[in-house]
């Protein structure tokens, strides 16, 4: 009877454990977008700044969103002016913040990445600037249509030879560093996507491995092993992904926020491994399902990485792609495998003590 009570106690505590895990899941699921560049995780395009015609000490200008946007941080005491598409003053970025010219067409055209925006009647690039303060920080990010491919159809050189790398455009954005005119030159390139015939079978293997671990595993240890590998991938993904933010403080705060899901998953994975090693197979299988769902949620915003040539990572692109595959397909595999494992391991717990009860009744 004690054996029956202890086993039923495991079942009785399981819903409480799962409820706690689900609360942690909801708390940790939202920072997933921190692994992307403003919602974009991968692209076949890539943009970069090549050079500036004059030195601009204290100013950092970089391409973001794989060429779709420019980001300027002015850490100097000199005001930087960015010109619009008709050589009008568009932005002023100085120590006290950012001002935007309401009479500049770029103010409205840059709202959307495709530039499809109606211009108000007052817009006139030849008019005196009407400056409106848009930020108190010396930093600003905007869609600049000089730096990216504007059409929905591929560039002609890509359509003619999609298996080769291409330089799509060489662009120039004029700015002024105080009274000094500066030309910022850069390029937009295109690279072919990864070979689907190589990668998609691997994605399928990861998915099937999780399902088979729950369907055929005699214990929950195979599930726990895949769980540990996928959680390690989530931790690497956190460490290898540059966090958004122009300042060091912004990036530190973003890193702290993005670390929450990985910490939660690592903690739950530790509990699942301990349960699997202690032959508490039902509990281990249930925890694997919880973490599997969390992995899947964390991986979804980075799905573009699976089929894109360029990704946001501080490590090898191949490792970044494999990491996201473990998050998405490993998470799905764990969900399927844990469901099968719970179905298989639950009767084993309930049936064994029932025999002991019958024997005890017969002896009495």
């Amino acid at each position: 009877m004690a054996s029956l009570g202890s086993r039923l106690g495991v079942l009785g505590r399981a819903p409480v454990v799962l409820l706690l895990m689900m609360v942690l899941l909801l708390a940790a699921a939202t920072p997933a977008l921190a692994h992307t560049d403003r919602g974009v995780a991968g692209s076949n395009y890539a943009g970069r700044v090549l050079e500036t015609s004059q030195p601009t000490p204290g100013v950092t200008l970089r391409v973001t969103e794989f060429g779709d946007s420019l980001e300027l941080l002015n850490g100097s005491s000199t005001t930087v002016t960015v010109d619009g598409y008709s050589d009008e003053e568009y932005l002023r970025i100085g120590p006290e913040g950012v001002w935007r010219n309401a009479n500049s067409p770029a103010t409205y055209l840059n709202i959307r990445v495709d530039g499809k925006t109606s211009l108000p009647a007052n817009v006139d690039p030849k008019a005196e600037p009407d400056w409106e303060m848009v930020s108190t920080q010396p930093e600003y990010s905007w869609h600049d249509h000089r730096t990216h491919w504007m059409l929905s159809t591929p560039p002609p050189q890509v359509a003619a030879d999609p298996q080769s790398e291409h330089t799509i455009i060489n662009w120039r954005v004029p700015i002024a560093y105080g009274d000094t005119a500066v030309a910022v030159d850069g390029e937009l390139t295109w690279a072919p996507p990864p070979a689907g015939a190589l990668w998609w079978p691997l994605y399928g293997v990861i998915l099937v491995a999780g399902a088979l671990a729950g369907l055929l595993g005699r214990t929950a240890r195979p599930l726990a092993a895949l769980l540990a590998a996928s959680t390690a991938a989530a931790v690497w993904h956190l460490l290898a992904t540059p966090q958004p933010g122009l300042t060091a403080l912004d990036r530190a705060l973003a890193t702290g926020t993005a670390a929450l899901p990985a910490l939660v998953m690592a903690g739950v994975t530790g509990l699942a491994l301990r349960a699997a090693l202690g032959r508490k197979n039902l509990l281990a299988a249930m925890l694997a399902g919880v973490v599997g769902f969390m992995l899947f949620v964390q991986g979804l915003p980075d799905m573009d990485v699976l089929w894109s040539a360029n990704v946001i990572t501080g490590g090898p692109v191949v490792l970044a792609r494999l990491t996201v595959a473990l998050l998405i397909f490993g998470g799905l595999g764990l969900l399927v495998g844990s469901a099968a494992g719970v179905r298989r391991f639950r009767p084993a717990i309930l049936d064994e003590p029932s025999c002991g009860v019958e024997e005890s009744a017969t002896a009495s």
Side-chain angles (χ1 to χ4, degrees), residues 134-189:
V134 293
S135 175
T136 59
Q137 301 299 316
E139 58 194 53
Y140 197 69
S141 177
W142 70 96
H143 290 302
D144 199 301
H145 304 310
R146 291 165 286 206
T147 67
H148 67 98
W149 183 251
M150 294 285 292
L151 303 179
S152 58
T153 55
Q157 55 267 58
V158 173
D161 184 10
Q163 302 304 318
S164 300
E165 297 183 3
H166 302 280
T167 297
I168 306 303
I169 53 175
N170 290 292
W171 50 262
R172 170 170 288 184
V173 173
I175 67 173
Y177 183 75
D179 295 328
T180 303
V182 180
V184 180
D185 292 319
E187 67 177 3
L188 178 72
T189 59

Side-chain angles (χ1 to χ4, degrees), residues 7 10-12 14 18 219-220 223 275-276 279-289 338 341-347 349-350:
R7 284 170 170 80
V10 172
L11 291 176
L18 287 178
T219 69
L223 270 177
R279 296 191 178 277
K280 297 178 181 178
N281 296 317
L282 176 61
L283 181 59
M286 289 191 293
L287 292 177
S338 66
V342 168
R343 186 179 182 89
R344 291 177 59 239
F345 298 137
R346 182 184 292 268
I349 290 178
L350 291 176

Side-chain angles (χ1 to χ4, degrees), residues 23 157 224 266 304 325 347:
V23 171
Q157 55 267 58
D304 290 345

